[in-house]
Amino acid sequence: KPRIFSGIQPSADSLHIGNYIGALQQWESMQDDYDAIFCIVDLHAITVPQDPKALRDATRTLAVQYIAAGIDPARSTMFVQSQVPAHAQLAWILNGITGFGEAGRMTQFKDKSARNGADAASVGLFTYPVLMAADILLYDTELVPVGDDQKQHVELARDLAQRFNSRFGETFVVPKPQIQKETARIYDLQIPTAKMSKSAATDSGIVWMLDEPAVIAKKIRSAVTDTGREVRFDRGEKPGVSNLLAILSAFRGVPIATLEAEYEGRGYGDFKRDVADAVVDAFGPIRERTLELQADPAEVDRILTTSAQRAHDLASAKLAQVHEAVGLYPSL
Ligand code: ATP
Ligand code: MG
């Protein structure tokens, strides 16, 4: 089976609708046809300040959310990045073949560093895409299912794989991104031109997977729309309505055009209520399952460590090849 790899940062204690649609929902459906590896990328999370205890708890809670959303640890490998040292080791080696200007063109760094002022941004945040390339390349990954915000980073991973192969000999598989078209980027409900992000400031604009059903309904009811009445997909004129259409389309699994026809001549009230119902129907059971699984943290850690062992074996074999190709001493 072809290999897929993807990851999410434990940068908050719940995932949000964007992570679900951009990542988890896609992952869940790919488990049978692919050899799937899903990582909890805690080394990425520490590129911005994190509270140590909160980070470790969020890491375990994220693993629980993977399982609650349908990732099956018996079929898929799911592990914590920091348990497999090869990620950091390969990232260092790839840093040596990445241009400073090339890294400087990554828009996520520009966005995230702009939030707190460029001087407050860490060097880790700057080289984050190189670590992400290492994550992907260690496992001979063919496809990387992500949201559209990660497209540029997967492109960098492709460039680095090709560059390494041509300089040091065939070593890496050149990966491709897999991105759903219309729903690839979910926006903040209050600022429908800004990406919904775990680390963004407005809680009212983010629908968390672990929000209580009543809270989800309220946030969706209060989502910013416009003064018109038409439920129509138009990112320029109607960003709020378009965002809700994308959400409903992903949760119901029907095309946006079908929804536009369904809501023709009906107001925003009906439409928002249906969006809220669709999200609550999907997230309600995930939330309950998460709360159940959280009761047994030792079992979660056991699952993660078993998976990490498999990842460690695969990654160490690739790293040994890399050391050989580059002229480094064999790792112990
Ligand atoms: P952070 O603010 O800490 O960067 P995040 O919400 O951007 O958090 P990540 O852990 O960076 O989440 O990304 C995990 C996955 O979720 C990636 O595949 C990413 O493309 C996807 N993703 C993140 N935000 C969205 C969004 N708004 N719409 C669709 N996909 C998203
Ligand atoms: Mg992000």
Side-chain angles (χ1 to χ4, degrees), residues 2 6 41 54 68 83 109 117-118 121 123 201 218 224 229 255 263 295 297 316 332:
S6 196
V41 289
Q83 288 202 299
F109 176 74
V123 174
K218 178 159 187 280
V224 167
R229 282 183 46 85
Y263 289 97
S316 304
L332 292 175

Side-chain angles (χ1 to χ4, degrees), residues 76-127:
S76 300
T77 300
M78 48 170 278
F79 73 102
V80 178
Q81 186 185 30
S82 61
Q83 288 202 299
V84 180
H87 290 252
Q89 292 172 292
L90 180 59
W92 179 256
I93 295 167
L94 294 178
N95 270 329
I97 64 162
T98 308
F100 194 81
E102 189 177 31
R105 282 192 293 277
M106 297 293 124
T107 58
Q108 175 179 279
F109 176 74
K110 291 186 201 163
D111 295 347
K112 285 196 172 178
S113 59
R115 263 186 232 164
N116 302 311
D119 288 345
S122 69
V123 174
L125 188 65
F126 186 71
T127 68

Side-chain angles (χ1 to χ4, degrees), residues 6-11 16-19 21-23 27 41 108 112 115 128 145-150 183-187 195-200:
S6 196
I8 301 181
Q9 304 181 65
S11 46
H16 56 70
I17 286 196
N19 303 134
I21 295 174
W27 300 359
V41 289
Q108 175 179 279
K112 285 196 172 178
R115 263 186 232 164
Y128 170 120
V146 283
D148 148 85
D149 60 305
Q150 294 300 324
T183 58
R185 187 181 287 239
I186 301 301
Y187 294 85
K195 182 183 96 71
M196 192 182 284
S197 287
K198 281 187 249 97
S199 57

Side-chain angles (χ1 to χ4, degrees), residues 134-149:
D135 300 339
I136 295 166
L137 300 182
L138 274 175
Y139 298 99
D140 290 334
T141 303
E142 290 181 41
L143 272 185
V144 187
V146 283
D148 148 85
D149 60 305

